[in-house]
Amino acid sequence: MNLRKILESARTIAVLGAHKDPSRPAHYVPRYLWEAGYRILPVNPRFAGEVLFGEVVRASLFELAEAYPGEPVDILDVFRKSQALPGHLEEILALRPRLVWLQSGITHPEVENKLKEAGIPVVADRCLMVEHRRLFRGGIPL
């Protein structure tokens, strides 16, 4: 998997578990990506209806897909505890992102295998912001 090519071609990143507290990684990582030029689609039932990164926060990935029919999600960036991932599997499979990115500390081999079997590549236990900075040296690929 060539992460550089994926990040260069990606335009839309859905963020499962997006947060409005600027001190939390689930806020400052998507903010960094938004400032780098990606469209960020935040998902978190606690903040549904509010606006983050210029987009309305959706309560679930199902709701996100319904709100943007036919619009592909290039990357699904996940900020949820590992044990919560099985509860999101069905909606991730329905969304069909080009890549699922599990942030630092997040892994779930069973869910990862099911996604890969469905043809959805997975990056686990890595920070998307750190990898973007490493690959582009802070530059914007868009």
Side-chain angles (χ1 to χ4, degrees), residues 1-13 32-33 36-38 74-75 77 98-99 101 123 126-136 139-142:
M1 174 180 342
N2 185 326
L3 293 180
R4 184 180 186 87
K5 283 186 179 180
I6 291 170
L7 291 173
E8 283 175 338
S9 67
R11 295 290 173 261
T12 302
I13 301 173
Y32 164 85
L33 297 166
Y38 296 97
D74 297 308
I75 300 171
D77 192 12
R98 286 183 36 218
L99 173 73
W101 193 294
V123 173
R126 289 165 78 179
C127 178
L128 183 49
M129 180 179 73
V130 169
E131 291 301 317
H132 187 277
R133 283 181 174 160
R134 179 181 68 80
L135 291 167
F136 300 104
I140 301 171
L142 305 175

Side-chain angles (χ1 to χ4, degrees), residues 36-47:
Y38 296 97
R39 180 181 186 199
I40 303 298
L41 302 176
V43 178
N44 188 326
R46 289 176 51 199
F47 308 116

Side-chain angles (χ1 to χ4, degrees), residues 9-94:
S9 67
R11 295 290 173 261
T12 302
I13 301 173
V15 180
L16 182 60
H19 207 280
K20 64 181 188 177
D21 179 348
S23 70
R24 296 183 62 147
H27 180 87
Y28 64 75
V29 170
R31 184 184 68 222
Y32 164 85
L33 297 166
W34 181 59
E35 290 171 352
Y38 296 97
R39 180 181 186 199
I40 303 298
L41 302 176
V43 178
N44 188 326
R46 289 176 51 199
F47 308 116
E50 296 185 41
V51 175
L52 279 176
F53 317 113
E55 299 283 347
V56 174
V57 180
R58 304 298 169 172
S60 69
L61 294 175
F62 286 133
E63 184 183 313
L64 178 77
E66 189 176 281
Y68 303 102
E71 292 187 41
V73 169
D74 297 308
I75 300 171
L76 173 60
D77 192 12
V78 179
F79 288 89
R80 296 282 291 137
K81 293 184 179 186
S82 298
Q83 61 266 30
L85 292 180
H88 293 289
L89 182 60
E90 183 181 349
E91 60 182 343
I92 294 171
L93 290 170

